[in-house]
Amino acid sequence: MARQFEIPTFYKSPIISRVKKARQMQDRLKWDLSPAVLDFGPVRFVLARHFGFCFGVENAIEIAYRTLEAHPDRRIFFLSEMIHNPNVNRDLQERGVRFIFEPSGEQRVGWETLTPEDIVVVPAFGTTLEVQKELMDRGIDPYAYNTTCPFVEKVWNRSAQLGDEGYTVVVHGKATHEETRATFSHSIRDAPTVVVLDVEEAHLLGDMIGGKLDREAFFERFGHKCSSGFDPDRDLQRIGVVNQTTMLAPETRKIVQVLRQALVDRYGEEDLKDHFADTSDTLCYATNENQNATYALIEHGADLALVVGGYNSSNTSHIVTLCEEAMPTYFIQNAGEIVSESCIRHFSLKTRQVVTTEGWLLDGGSLDVVLTCGASCPDAVVDEVLLRVLSFFEPCRTVEEALASYPVVEQAVV
């Protein structure tokens, strides 16, 4: 039986949580990726089979709130935002939590202000070895309140294994993201390491392997995101690929294919095992599930999509990217971004700015709206978005009528 975490009740919801529980009871093996549909008459909400809090996020939230409850008289710091969701982080701040770093890495709270009596919580993304040492030097145990996702730690362990076997580690990730910074810090202990953002950069590495790219061009592109002393002529002869756990799985597979083919072209298929580590995909299970469920959403089709989550959430942005290829998509952090039935504020991945769109809610009969979110978004926030959109339509079925297709039957106690 899957572990049940203690999540504050205000993060749960009477609508989304009920649909999730009903789907779980109906499909325990998670084979059915088809979306759920809540039919209110003039508007239907198409809900992804998998979305919302994952194992790592629930684990982090449980530890965070237990720590707050157990130590009301002590100062509590988080190294950075616990997860990339403004609603969760705002609640923690209102309860007195302070963040030492911005997500960008800029330090908010100086090390000199910390004392051994202070509590410092490591966020779900993990942290660097350098930060761990800073804490230990100040008498603070960085592992006492550690919410690092176990799937992130799995990547660190795989990187160490690759290094022990004489491979260079290629990290598919965003070099400035907290998780990738942490992975890079751990990886360089054991192996030469370089970070690759996308397939385009993988092709550049492939050109370096094949002798089509010179050293100067390599360092111009990768010099700021490779380990000290990295020698592309030497260190790209044997490689293994790991990733930031929230990257798009198909892109990781393409990067693996590009680099594998470059090594085949240079060394031959028969000698490939000496140059390319056959690593299993280190994308976490929740990211895989959410992305696969998003493909099923797209296949089902809808008039528009609302994707809810923090604007700096990597896994949410990838869901947005997938939906944008199929339908008008609006990336919002909560129901407050829906100004009216004619106006919505949303985040543009292209410009990295919040923009306003008029006429977003299409007229002309019934409407199908895809509704999903990232792995760090509470169900309660998705509920609020659903109810906000529903308020623009009348007459509608009641929530209970729409939920009739998703009864929750409690499992019998044996």
Side-chain angles (χ1 to χ4, degrees):
M1 184 176 179
R3 179 183 168 187
Q4 297 296 310
F5 291 94
E6 293 182 11
I7 303 300
T9 55
F10 52 84
Y11 286 144
K12 300 176 183 178
S13 74
I15 303 174
I16 298 302
S17 295
R18 173 165 161 180
V19 173
K20 285 184 174 181
K21 189 170 183 180
R23 293 297 303 271
Q24 181 183 17
M25 298 293 288
Q26 296 163 0
D27 176 34
R28 294 189 179 280
L29 297 180
K30 302 182 179 182
W31 286 348
D32 182 7
L33 291 177
S34 63
V37 178
L38 289 180
D39 188 349
F40 289 91
V43 60
R44 290 179 295 274
F45 293 93
V46 185
L47 309 177
R49 174 65 177 92
H50 302 290
F51 63 96
F53 282 174
C54 62
F55 178 97
V57 169
E58 290 190 334
N59 176 64
I61 287 177
E62 180 181 80
I63 293 173
Y65 283 92
R66 279 186 175 178
T67 301
L68 284 167
E69 184 179 357
H71 304 286
D73 300 324
R74 292 176 66 180
R75 296 200 306 174
I76 298 178
F77 297 85
F78 275 66
L79 283 177
S80 65
E81 294 182 352
M82 183 180 68
I83 54 177
H84 284 161
N85 186 273
N87 305 284
V88 174
N89 291 312
R90 182 167 52 249
D91 184 72
L92 289 170
Q93 287 178 302
E94 289 173 353
R95 294 168 187 268
V97 168
R98 295 175 64 189
F99 298 134
I100 295 175
F101 289 98
E102 297 277 2
S104 63
E106 180 183 353
Q107 193 157 356
R108 293 180 180 178
V109 178
W111 294 124
E112 70 281 358
T113 66
L114 300 180
T115 71
E117 289 71 39
D118 292 328
I119 291 174
V120 177
V121 181
V122 176
F125 315 108
T127 193
T128 65
L129 294 172
E130 294 78 12
V131 168
Q132 288 182 9
K133 184 177 185 304
E134 287 281 1
L135 292 173
M136 289 188 290
D137 287 348
R138 283 159 178 77
I140 299 172
D141 181 0
Y143 306 105
Y145 303 92
N146 180 13
T147 77
T148 303
C149 174
F151 294 96
V152 173
E153 293 178 333
K154 176 183 175 183
V155 174
W156 298 349
N157 294 335
R158 186 67 178 113
S159 298
Q161 181 184 5
L162 290 170
D164 290 343
E165 295 171 357
Y167 289 97
T168 289
V169 174
V170 176
V171 182
H172 174 211
K174 302 170 184 176
T176 59
H177 190 281
E178 294 105 308
E179 182 188 324
T180 297
R181 295 202 305 265
T183 295
F184 183 85
S185 173
H186 284 75
S187 178
I188 62 176
R189 289 186 306 174
D190 304 292
T193 304
V194 60
V195 179
V196 171
L197 176 62
D198 50 26
V199 175
E200 177 190 349
E201 290 196 346
H203 279 292
L204 290 177
L205 275 194
D207 288 344
M208 188 71 218
I209 291 169
K212 302 174 186 176
L213 187 74
D214 61 28
R215 293 172 60 89
E216 183 178 352
F218 171 87
F219 284 110
E220 182 177 344
R221 188 62 174 261
F222 298 102
H224 64 292
K225 51 182 185 177
C226 65
S227 52
S228 177
F230 194 98
D231 183 343
D233 295 320
R234 176 196 65 208
D235 295 330
L236 293 177
Q237 295 181 32
R238 286 169 57 84
I239 64 174
V241 180
V242 300
N243 60 5
Q244 180 184 318
T245 58
T246 55
M247 301 302 279
L248 274 174
E251 187 171 45
T252 299
R253 286 191 284 268
K254 288 178 183 176
I255 287 170
V256 168
Q257 291 168 0
V258 167
L259 296 178
R260 182 185 187 282
Q261 188 59 50
L263 290 164
V264 168
D265 292 343
R266 178 169 179 180
Y267 299 106
E269 186 77 47
E270 63 279 3
D271 292 326
L272 182 64
K273 64 180 182 299
D274 295 326
H275 299 277
F276 191 71
D278 184 16
T279 57
S280 59
D281 192 359
T282 51
L283 203 77
C284 83
Y285 83 96
T287 301
N288 268 317
E289 286 183 345
N290 290 353
Q291 290 176 9
N292 289 336
T294 302
Y295 289 121
L297 275 181
I298 293 168
E299 184 177 350
H300 181 279
D303 298 299
L304 61 92
L306 293 172
V307 182
V308 191
Y311 294 154
N312 59 343
S313 167
S314 176
N315 75 86
T316 310
S317 69
H318 290 309
I319 293 173
V320 173
T321 298
L322 294 176
C323 289
E324 282 181 335
E325 295 174 355
M327 66 191 77
T329 300
Y330 303 97
F331 183 5
I332 60 176
Q333 60 183 0
N334 52 46
E337 302 290 56
I338 304 176
V339 181
S340 68
E341 59 186 309
S342 61
C343 179
I344 189 171
R345 288 188 301 265
H346 57 104
F347 189 72
S348 168
L349 293 177
K350 185 175 296 185
T351 65
R352 308 300 299 176
Q353 298 290 327
V354 175
V355 297
T356 300
T357 296
E358 300 286 344
W360 71 280
L361 199 55
L362 306 175
D363 292 327
S366 62
L367 193 67
D368 285 353
V369 178
V370 156
L371 183 56
T372 189
C373 71
S376 53
C377 182
D379 286 350
V381 175
V382 183
D383 260 23
E384 292 167 1
V385 171
L386 184 152
L387 293 172
R388 176 63 172 156
V389 175
L390 189 61
S391 70
F392 302 135
F393 294 86
E394 60 178 28
C396 289
R397 295 188 179 98
T398 66
V399 169
E400 197 57 39
E401 287 172 334
L403 285 170
S405 299
Y406 300 98
V408 176
V409 179
E410 297 293 342
Q411 185 177 14
V413 178
V414 179

